[in-house]
Amino acid sequence: MQASFLDHSGFLVELNSAALLFDWWKGGLPAIKPGVPLYVFASHVHPDHFDPRIFALDDGSREVRFILGHDIKLSSRNLSRWGVSPETAEKCRNLRGGETLELSGATVEALPSTDEGEAFLVTADGQIVFHAGDLNWWHWEGEDKGWNRNMEVDFKKYAEALRGRTIDLAMLPLDPRLGEAGFWGPAYFLETAEIRRFLPMHQWGEFDFTRKFLEKHPAFTDRVLPVKEPGQVFAL
């Protein structure tokens, strides 16, 4: 497995039998190994996770499928506005939390999110890859206490689907805007599932926040792959 950090929450994960592109809206896209299908994921409609230019990747050079959060509406108006042909539209599928999609050589499970859209768990080549999208323990100082409490409850409920599972690679939000509360979500994921490798995302360019996370949670050091710059490649 090879993972390329594109920017923000965008990653390209390449397996022997498929390439998985997650939440690409920013940063250069490296050349993808020829001859394998490309599965393009967009967790939700926020512009820092979804850009309609992804549909241009269906250029006839390979098998392409688009797996989208349920809030990315595939209406006739949107498809026309995005320049999506009828042929490409047939390759798009919205998923809701709790749904599963079987692809050629891969299985996709969708989890609900505490923000918009979904998180995606992909099984392929005997390996499991998890991209959380905006599924996170969002806790904002100054927010209503009831809102923060409900967020905690919902996050733990949705993350329960991962309990006890072995995940080879997880891309999880580690958001510095939350201060130390930004540590809570990834720490909970790492305690709930057997995550072998964790790539931080949603850091808004503040990559030093990973060091601060590990100072607070040194037990996770061997499982964390610090992201330092767009274009970084990890051989796993």
Side-chain angles (χ1 to χ4, degrees), residues 19-154:
L20 316 175
L21 180 61
F22 295 98
D23 284 14
W24 177 50
W25 66 283
K26 186 179 183 183
L29 183 62
I32 300 171
K33 181 173 64 175
V36 299
L38 173 62
Y39 299 137
V40 182
F41 297 84
S43 61
H44 62 289
V45 75
H46 289 168
D48 63 323
H49 291 263
F50 168 66
D51 188 322
R53 65 176 170 153
I54 61 174
F55 298 115
L57 294 170
D58 184 26
D59 59 4
S61 64
R62 67 177 72 238
E63 176 189 349
V64 180
R65 295 286 299 275
F66 300 91
I67 303 94
L68 312 171
H70 77 274
D71 61 332
I72 300 175
K73 304 300 184 184
L74 298 172
S75 64
S76 297
R77 179 181 179 183
N78 280 343
L79 292 174
S80 176
R81 182 162 58 94
W82 298 335
V84 179
S85 70
E87 293 76 18
T88 297
E90 291 180 357
K91 301 174 184 179
C92 299
R93 170 72 184 273
N94 290 111
L95 284 185
R96 286 185 175 271
E99 293 183 333
T100 299
L101 175 65
E102 295 292 339
L103 299 169
S104 177
T107 300
V108 180
E109 302 169 63
L111 278 64
S113 177
T114 45
D115 197 342
E116 301 290 337
E118 273 67 40
F120 296 115
L121 192 71
V122 184
T123 303
D125 287 354
Q127 300 189 79
I128 298 179
V129 176
F130 178 62
H131 188 283
D134 269 0
L135 172 57
N136 191 28
W137 184 341
W138 300 106
H139 180 98
W140 299 98
E141 291 299 326
E143 184 61 76
D144 178 77
K145 290 182 179 179
W147 187 95
N148 279 329
R149 185 168 55 251
N150 289 337
M151 179 61 62
E152 176 185 357
V153 170
D154 286 345

Side-chain angles (χ1 to χ4, degrees), residues 1 125-130 165-172 189-190 193-199 219-225 236:
M1 186 193 305
D125 287 354
Q127 300 189 79
I128 298 179
V129 176
F130 178 62
R165 297 189 69 163
T166 297
I167 298 173
D168 295 281
L169 175 64
M171 292 149 279
L172 311 172
F189 276 126
L190 288 160
E194 182 58 40
I195 295 172
R196 292 176 172 168
R197 291 291 184 268
F198 157 40
L199 279 170
F220 299 140
T221 299
D222 291 343
R223 299 158 69 183
V224 176
L225 301 171
L236 308 172

